[in-house]
Amino acid sequence: MLGKKITSICCIGAGYVGGPTMAVIAQKCPHIRVNVVDVNPQRIADWNSDNLDELPIYEPGLADIVKSTRGKNLFFSTDVSKGIADAQMIFISVNTPTKTYGVGKGMAADLKYVELCARQIADEAKENKIVVEKSTLPVRTAQSIKTILEANSSDVKFQVLSNPEFLAEGTAVEDLLEPDRVLIGGDQDEDGLEAIELLSEVYANWVPRERIVQTKLWSSELSKLTANAFLAQRISSINSISALCEKTGADVDEIARAIGADSRIGSKFLKASVGFGGSCFQKDILNLVYLSHHFGLPEVADYWEQVIKINDYQKHRFSKQIIDALFNTVSGKKIAILGWAFKKDTNDTRESAAIYISGQLMQDQAEIHVYDPKVTKHQMIKDLVYAGYGNEESISEKLFVHEDAYSASDKAHAIAVITEWDEFKTLDWTTIYDRMLKPAFVFDGRNILDRSNLTEIGFDLRSIGKG
Ligand code: NAD
Ligand code: UGA
């Protein structure tokens, strides 16, 4: 269809996926010009900032890659039309949040941004193009994209591929440089297979061929939702067992080690926690639940919905445990929250358990004192307002943000560790203990603290899944 190798790529959406993914493609494919475009001018200005600390996304190793490629073959721009017109291959990497209105509200993926991209591609394309779904999408979305493209453009031919992204935040660069697999789905006719091959050639610049998995379009789209559902299911499974551990005196970390040693189960994603967060697990499972209902499969929908229910239960259990331990009230008490990001090594806070836990405690009139190495106060307030815990003014009265863990926990009644930032493991816990009110409670929502050390110091330490 294109009849030649790819030398120009455009990516619509300069977010957590578009930015790092394109930076790595640019680094590994110096012969390809990579244009990342976005409607958000601030985001683009931040990607273009001279100060690499100001990149809109924090990921270990990312700034160095951007530094070595930006202005050479990697460009960030707000000119979406030109980006589309100049490229042979266009990645759609825009957000696909859960719908907040109308049919499918609270469940289905909101595809309005994807649809806008498809319409704009149809308007701007003057030559044949390969359109790549990088965003996570419901199965059969490619059909809708094709319909829009074909209905709005008569002379130009399009191929739509599905190439879902499996990177995890905090390890995005590592995951992109050495992916377990790259998945490419497309039509199985001559043009479809040619398009699959052209995209495979791009990745083959650094990914071993045997890790490039080629499938039918629908298998690729559904594999992405399935992968996230399986990963989240493991966390909910171990978290459900953590509740049982607390009742029986069993230790959830020992159980994870024991079952993970079985090669059929494997050891990854068995870390009990205060609940999974992040922009995708919940949204993608809700989407899977919605699709199952849509296709008349209520038993399948109920099965996957339980993964979300256990996650909500886990977050609720944690905040209730804090209130119960603090003599049934946190009113007027100072609670230090260590960590706001949904996991370590990222500044992303979407669906972070910290929002829910802090919101619950604030509703019980606690004073919340937070320290996170990467998240700003502005972001925390935004998160709490968005989650419905009050307005900016009411939240600002109860939320205090600190420069370090020592100041956050000074005269605190309790500390809750929500994010597993490495620095929390090596804090001077004796100093923290001396400055706290007694009894000094620590709720370790990640099971990262040294139990014998903290209990010896005098803390009343409550960990997840340890009776
Ligand atoms: P994001 O919100 O960080 O970025 C999306 C960007 O798209 C925003 O900057 C937004 O301004 C831009 N955008 C929206 N509509 C646009 C339009 N019409 N034209 C130009 N720009 C537009 O989102 P993200 O985290 O990068 O996720 C993107 C997709 O990738 C989602 O479908 C998500 O499910 C999937 N995904 C995310 C991750 C992750 O770790 N965040 C991993 C794998 C897959
Ligand atoms: C997840 C998947 O791991 C990626 O493969 C996928 O591409 C991505 O979603 C996506 O589609 O957005 P991400 O959400 O960035 O990546 O991070 P994870 O490492 O999966 O962690 C998700 C949440 O689960 C975090 O809150 C983490 O702390 C929690 N978690 C993870 C646990 O509680 N226990 C574990 O054992 C592992």
Side-chain angles (χ1 to χ4, degrees):
M1 189 192 92
L2 288 175
K4 50 187 173 189
K5 287 202 184 309
I6 299 298
T7 54
S8 56
I9 284 177
C10 168
C11 174
I12 310 180
Y16 283 85
V17 168
T21 309
M22 292 302 130
V24 167
I25 291 185
Q27 190 196 44
K28 295 294 177 183
C29 310
H31 57 287
I32 300 180
R33 185 184 166 90
V34 182
N35 251 316
V36 190
V37 296
D38 201 294
V39 284
N40 180 340
Q42 186 58 51
R43 215 164 216 193
I44 292 298
D46 290 346
W47 279 114
N48 282 324
S49 169
D50 287 336
N51 180 355
L52 288 168
D53 290 337
E54 281 174 10
L55 293 185
I57 284 153
Y58 171 72
E59 279 291 339
L62 179 61
D64 286 343
I65 297 185
V66 171
K67 190 175 166 196
S68 69
T69 48
R70 202 178 56 188
K72 293 184 184 135
N73 66 330
L74 177 68
F75 302 89
F76 294 94
S77 157
T78 50
D79 194 343
V80 182
S81 303
K82 185 167 177 343
I84 294 170
D86 289 350
Q88 297 161 291
M89 182 175 268
I90 300 153
F91 287 76
I92 299 179
S93 192
V94 298
N95 36 329
T96 50
T98 304
K99 257 184 111 174
T100 52
Y101 55 90
V103 177
K105 178 179 171 181
M107 282 266 164
D110 191 343
L111 298 182
K112 70 179 172 203
Y113 306 110
V114 173
E115 183 178 333
L116 274 170
C117 290
R119 290 186 186 280
Q120 198 165 1
I121 293 169
D123 282 350
E124 303 297 342
K126 305 287 177 266
E127 290 165 13
N128 296 350
K129 308 270 180 204
I130 296 172
V131 176
V132 184
E133 298 174 342
K134 187 50 113 179
S135 297
T136 301
L137 298 168
V139 55
R140 298 198 74 87
T141 303
Q143 189 55 57
S144 315
I145 294 180
K146 275 187 213 173
T147 307
I148 293 169
L149 291 172
E150 282 159 15
N152 290 282
S153 183
S154 52
D155 314 326
V156 179
K157 283 212 297 188
F158 296 99
Q159 274 300 314
V160 179
L161 298 178
S162 161
N163 172 222
E165 184 47 60
F166 294 102
L167 69 80
E169 288 179 31
T171 53
V173 170
E174 205 179 309
D175 295 342
L176 287 164
L177 289 175
E178 283 191 49
D180 285 348
R181 78 321 207 167
V182 166
L183 178 57
I184 303 175
D187 283 340
Q188 300 296 300
D189 57 15
E190 195 185 328
D191 283 347
L193 292 171
E194 186 204 345
I196 291 177
E197 193 43 39
L198 284 169
L199 181 54
S200 300
E201 277 171 16
V202 172
Y203 284 107
N205 283 294
W206 78 99
V207 179
R209 272 280 175 175
E210 62 276 13
R211 292 207 196 158
I212 301 177
V213 180
Q214 303 181 345
T215 66
K216 289 194 266 186
L217 205 37
W218 316 133
S219 311
S220 173
E221 288 181 332
L222 191 52
S223 293
K224 173 64 196 178
L225 292 184
T226 309
N228 274 358
F230 269 59
L231 290 169
Q233 180 201 44
R234 285 173 69 94
I235 303 169
S236 279
S237 296
I238 198 73
N239 281 345
S240 73
I241 298 298
S242 75
L244 200 53
C245 286
E246 287 164 29
K247 295 281 184 202
T248 57
D251 180 323
V252 76
D253 285 338
E254 290 182 349
I255 292 181
R257 202 167 75 231
I259 65 167
D262 184 329
S263 60
R264 294 169 302 173
I265 296 175
S267 60
K268 294 181 180 166
F269 269 71
L270 286 180
K271 187 80 191 152
S273 68
V274 60
F276 59 76
S279 63
C280 293
F281 279 172
Q282 175 161 309
K283 132 179 119 59
D284 292 348
I285 294 173
L286 288 173
N287 188 359
L288 194 61
V289 170
Y290 181 76
L291 282 171
S292 304
H293 278 303
H294 174 81
F295 289 109
L297 303 169
E299 289 82 1
V300 179
D302 291 349
Y303 176 76
W304 288 109
E305 192 165 15
Q306 199 57 31
V307 173
I308 302 285
K309 287 189 180 160
I310 288 288
N311 199 47
D312 290 341
Y313 163 75
Q314 190 75 348
K315 289 183 277 188
H316 178 70
R317 227 163 61 72
F318 190 80
S319 44
K320 184 166 179 308
Q321 203 179 40
I322 297 177
I323 297 170
D324 287 351
L326 293 181
F327 316 104
N328 237 350
T329 176
V330 288
S331 179
K333 293 182 180 167
K334 176 174 173 180
I335 315 287
I337 299 283
L338 299 190
W340 194 268
F342 82 98
K343 61 186 282 198
K344 72 171 181 175
D345 292 340
T346 176
N347 60 349
D348 196 348
T349 63
R350 290 178 286 182
E351 296 295 337
S352 175
I355 304 168
Y356 182 86
I357 307 296
S358 304
Q360 284 278 302
L361 296 174
M362 277 173 150
Q363 281 181 336
D364 263 65
Q365 303 179 348
E367 245 186 43
I368 299 297
H369 291 254
V370 191
Y371 166 64
D372 185 287
K374 290 286 171 200
V375 182
T376 61
K377 180 173 185 181
H378 172 75
Q379 184 61 46
M380 294 175 197
I381 293 176
K382 207 169 137 188
D383 290 338
L384 287 162
V385 172
Y386 184 75
Y389 289 109
N391 57 33
E392 211 171 301
E393 205 186 342
S394 65
I395 287 167
S396 299
E397 283 168 13
K398 295 194 206 112
L399 181 79
F400 303 86
V401 179
H402 296 259
E403 291 295 308
D404 60 49
Y406 300 98
S407 144
S409 50
D410 193 32
K411 298 195 182 60
H413 292 75
I415 295 175
V417 177
I418 308 290
T419 315
E420 72 281 25
W421 286 103
D422 287 338
E423 65 178 75
F424 299 157
K425 295 183 203 164
T426 53
L427 292 170
D428 176 354
W429 284 98
T430 306
T431 301
I432 291 177
Y433 180 79
D434 289 344
R435 292 187 189 172
M436 279 178 71
L437 298 187
K438 309 295 176 318
F441 289 96
V442 174
F443 299 87
D444 184 358
R446 294 291 184 164
N447 291 358
I448 54 166
L449 302 179
D450 182 339
R451 271 182 86 72
S452 52
N453 179 31
L454 263 75
T455 32
E456 204 172 295
I457 292 170
F459 283 105
D460 185 336
L461 175 66
R462 313 280 173 106
S463 309
I464 301 277
K466 298 193 191 252

